[in-house]
Amino acid sequence: MPVALMVRAAVGMAVPLAVGLLVHRLDLGVFAGLGAMHATMNDRAEPGRLRAARIGTAVLASALGMLIGTALQHADADGLVLGVVLTLTAFASGALSATGPRGSAAGMLLLVSAALGSGMPLPQPWWAAAPMLPVGAAFVVLLGLPAGAPNRPAADPRNRALAAAYDALGRTLADLGGPRAGASRQVLTARLNQLQDLLGTHRRDRRERQDHRSRQNRRARMYEAALAATEAATGLLWARRPVPPEVAEVPNRLAAAVRRGGGEVAVPDWRPDTPSRQALDVALRAAADTVAGRDTRLGTAPAPPPDPWRLRVRLLSRGSVRYGLRVALCIAVGSAVTANYPLSKSYWVPMTIAFVLKPDLGSVFLRAVSRSVGTVLGVAVTAALLMATTDEWALTAMAAGCVALLPYATAAHYGLNTVVMTPMALVLLQLGGQSSAAEFWPRVLDTVLASAIVLLFGYLLWPERPRHRIEPRLVDATTALRAYLDAVVRGAGQDDGPDSGPNSGQDGGRTGTAQVWLRRTAYRSLADARREVQQGLAEPPPTGRLAERWLSATAALERLGGAVAAFAAQIRYGGRVPDPAEVDRVRRALDELTASARAHRPPTAPSAPTPPTPPATAATPTVATPAPHDPTRSALGRAAEELEALLRTRPDD
């Protein structure tokens, strides 16, 4: 339960509406409250600048969409003009949504606000609706400033994210060799992804860097130490070799020390008997030194800066254009339907289309079904509330209560999010004087109509199949893994040998520095591929069947990442020299898997020649799991066997 976000959301909604009531300008208060709601939808526990940038991007897009919609309504545009403008806006919204998480939020609100502005009652003057959205959002940002100020270590979102990563590492170590180890590693990867986003995008001016240099450098080094420990843990996970409980407890103590702002953390004296365990021991001791504030050689470097041309390239990419056309088609169909059939709130259909047609947020099919069911429940809740009272102050309290639940509902389930958002939207319409209780149930019909349009024109008839989402992610993952493997092999050639010492052998030199971020890129790409496969599994046939056929490849690639990490530990601490034949076997298998993904030919063989683990949950289908690895044998050779077994059988089609 994100209590701080929930309280901030309730106050952010209640105050603009209350001010509007007190000054008898509820028309402006409703739009300010709408801006506060849009800010709440994009609020996160982040550093102040990062949080303001995330909210600002989304709300500015929302204000632009509102200006477009209100201008159309003020000009009394006919159905044809309205449909054309909304279709063009939908194309821009879809193209922007494909650029990443921030673009996705901004693109959705651009279209949602344009649809709302074309139908909601206009304030006086009409153009004041758009500026009131940033006003309400700015109030939410101001409410969150104390939470984002790093006056105390435990209050800094970056410290909390670092502590969460160490906690996840401790859970992974505790689960080594058990059935929950794979799920724990996925959580660990997600925590590191979040931490990387918080640290990698944060920028300070020169004066702030001078004032906070020691603190920033220390946090960065703690993060780098966590990356080294994660690599060692991933190698142990692949080898299915547990560690003593007192060793698995060390990351949890490191997390507690990070929350306190530092302190000594003792690493128990144990006897690591394999290269991967030795790598873990060295990494944990280095992490304890960084948390305590001592200098230690990590052999890492800050993450490469983002490419300033990335947004432009992705805006003009094939995927962005395809998704933009997909959204535009659905909006065009929705506009044609609303223009030819008498709907009391014609903007509800395009607004629902914008919310449902978001494949980056999960299964479109499940979102359409959840939206319809959630709207029914939300309308029932709203009708029950309005039967009790229609007092404006009571409605203001209802809206604040609904928006307070939004941060929790958004993270919990899309259907629950709809149950919360529907009463909030209907109450705002009631406050604006546009709706009555009798008009609420037609919103169910509008929602079902919009969901049907999305399912037919944006899901069934559109060539946006899993091969356009899953297979490109798998290509990225195989490419990143191949680059990581090449860096490990090159690093072995530059090391001084097995007696060079743990620190000098740990990612030493320029190749070692590149190896750190190639490894991080590979693990992140694997997490993206896993997410796309899991979203595809939730789709009905044939989408679900195709995703299931790629599941074994995703699991094999995840294990390959662990095998390369174990192989790197064997090189550093075991003195193993890479066998060119083994390296070439893995490269050939990766190249073959990449070619299969590009040719839309998923493998159907089991991912390892060993019996499968006991049945897992429905969300995590059972895949074959390798037996414990013999540390005297090459980890890379074992990985080559697994990939070759995966690729041995091909589907007939």
Side-chain angles (χ1 to χ4, degrees), residues 84-434:
V84 170
V85 174
L86 285 182
T87 300
L88 294 176
T89 305
F91 174 77
S93 168
L96 184 60
S97 294
T99 62
R102 287 193 190 180
S104 176
M108 181 179 68
L109 290 181
L110 173 68
L111 182 55
V112 167
S113 294
L116 285 174
S118 67
M120 288 185 66
L122 295 179
Q124 293 297 329
W126 69 268
W127 49 261
M132 291 308 297
L133 295 180
V135 171
F139 180 62
V140 173
V141 173
L142 291 175
L143 289 175
L145 288 181
N151 297 322
R152 295 180 295 108
D156 193 318
R158 290 160 293 182
N159 283 347
R160 293 202 299 269
L162 178 61
Y166 275 121
D167 281 333
L169 175 60
R171 171 51 57 189
T172 300
L173 293 179
D175 291 340
L176 287 176
R180 296 183 299 180
S184 297
R185 186 205 58 78
Q186 294 173 23
V187 173
L188 173 59
T189 300
R191 296 292 179 265
L192 289 173
N193 290 347
Q194 180 187 23
L195 179 58
Q196 183 182 10
D197 291 340
L198 292 177
L199 296 179
T201 56
H202 186 72
R203 297 290 182 267
R204 292 180 178 271
D205 59 32
R206 181 179 301 175
R207 182 174 180 179
E208 286 180 311
R209 286 197 299 267
Q210 291 174 349
D211 293 341
H212 298 275
R213 181 178 301 169
S214 177
R215 185 191 311 166
Q216 293 291 89
N217 288 346
R218 183 179 175 187
R219 184 186 295 114
R221 294 185 69 77
M222 286 190 289
Y223 169 52
E224 294 159 13
L227 292 181
T230 299
E231 180 192 28
T234 305
L236 286 169
L237 175 71
W238 173 83
R240 295 182 61 81
R241 296 286 178 180
V243 297
E246 61 272 16
V247 176
E249 182 62 24
V250 171
N252 297 326
R253 296 201 296 268
L254 290 172
V258 168
R259 295 185 178 97
R260 294 193 306 267
E264 294 291 337
V265 175
V267 179
D269 291 330
W270 61 305
R271 295 182 179 180
D273 55 351
T274 66
S276 292
R277 286 175 173 171
Q278 188 177 354
L280 177 66
D281 180 68
V282 172
L284 290 180
R285 295 183 187 280
D289 287 339
T290 60
V291 171
R294 292 187 293 270
D295 290 334
T296 183
R297 182 176 180 181
L298 298 172
T300 57
D307 182 1
W309 294 97
R310 185 179 180 186
L311 181 62
R312 171 180 289 187
V313 171
R314 297 185 70 174
L315 273 174
L316 301 179
S317 68
R318 180 180 179 183
S320 296
V321 173
R322 183 173 61 240
Y323 183 58
L325 291 173
R326 182 183 179 190
V327 179
L329 174 62
C330 292
I331 292 296
V333 173
S335 299
V337 170
T338 57
N340 290 279
Y341 292 93
L343 299 177
S344 58
K345 301 293 181 296
S346 59
Y347 58 83
W348 199 272
V349 172
M351 182 189 70
T352 302
I353 290 174
F355 276 115
V356 173
L357 191 55
K358 297 292 292 178
D360 57 317
L361 300 179
S363 165
V364 173
F365 176 81
L366 289 182
R367 287 171 68 84
V369 175
S370 297
R371 184 80 187 181
S372 300
V373 176
T375 300
V376 173
L377 297 177
V379 167
V381 170
T382 308
L385 292 175
L386 292 183
M387 287 178 63
T389 179
T390 57
D391 179 73
E392 291 180 337
W393 288 101
L395 294 179
T396 298
M398 292 178 192
C402 290
V403 79
L405 295 173
L406 195 57
Y408 170 75
T410 300
H413 191 274
Y414 179 72
L416 181 59
N417 174 267
T418 303
V419 174
V420 171
M421 289 193 65
T422 300
M424 183 168 51
L426 295 176
V427 167
L428 287 178
L429 293 177
Q430 179 81 9
L431 286 171
Q434 191 187 26

